[in-house]
Amino acid sequence: MSDLPPLPVTFRPSRTRAVLLTAGVAIFVVITTVAMLLEQLSPGERLSFVFTAALLAGVLFLLSRPKVVADESGVTVVNIAGRRRLDWAEIIQVNLRPGDPWVFLNLSDGTSLPALGIQPGIAKQRAIADARALRALAEARSTARSGEDQD
């Protein structure tokens, strides 16, 4: 199947990530600079400005974390605060319906796992292409596994 991406492959919302990382750095620099330029602030107040800037930047950096990594043995879904490793056989269906904020993976245990690494926010066509690629990989891997007796 030549239309499948070579493994390993990482799916992530690159434009959204660039915006979040740039905004995080800019917020930190601006707030820290303002804190240093305001002469009437005490050292403790300056420190609280810098701490607040670091906290805001940290939240934006955390929001830029999501990705989906597919390799020969399965998929690793990294969301904002967690990471989950799935074998290919655990993934029943890859869904990105109109209006969905990100891809959902229907799993063999009957649950659904959001995969924030593929989201149509800023780059809708890229997200659709990534969802199709992940779906094709999941289907190819499940077909390969059902046709072979692997340990």
Side-chain angles (χ1 to χ4, degrees):
M1 294 186 182
S2 60
D3 59 338
L4 294 178
L7 296 176
V9 62
T10 301
F11 302 105
R12 68 170 21 144
S14 301
R15 288 184 191 168
T16 302
R17 180 177 163 87
V19 168
L20 290 169
L21 293 175
T22 302
V25 170
I27 286 171
F28 181 80
V29 168
V30 168
I31 293 175
T32 301
T33 301
V34 168
M36 296 306 148
L37 292 176
L38 291 174
E39 296 175 7
Q40 69 269 27
L41 294 181
S42 70
E45 290 170 326
R46 282 192 173 114
L47 186 60
S48 70
F49 267 72
V50 173
F51 177 76
T52 301
L55 187 62
L56 291 170
V59 168
L60 293 176
F61 294 160
L62 198 58
L63 291 173
S64 72
R65 186 173 180 251
K67 65 182 176 180
V68 177
V69 181
D71 59 31
E72 292 294 335
S73 61
V75 174
T76 302
V77 176
V78 179
N79 286 332
I80 294 169
R83 171 187 306 257
R84 184 163 174 194
R85 179 73 186 164
L86 301 166
D87 290 330
W88 285 111
E90 292 179 76
I91 301 171
I92 303 300
Q93 190 175 26
V94 177
N95 287 319
L96 180 59
R97 296 175 298 260
D100 280 352
W102 40 71
V103 162
F104 289 91
L105 304 177
N106 292 339
L107 306 179
S108 59
D109 65 1
T111 63
S112 182
L113 176 68
L116 280 62
I118 303 174
Q119 50 182 269
I122 295 175
K124 184 176 182 178
Q125 294 308 316
R126 169 73 186 265
I128 291 169
D130 288 352
R132 286 180 178 155
L134 184 58
R135 181 180 299 131
L137 284 168
E139 288 171 358
R141 295 291 169 186
S142 67
T143 302
R145 296 222 186 276
S146 65
E148 299 173 6
D149 191 32
Q150 295 182 354
D151 293 322

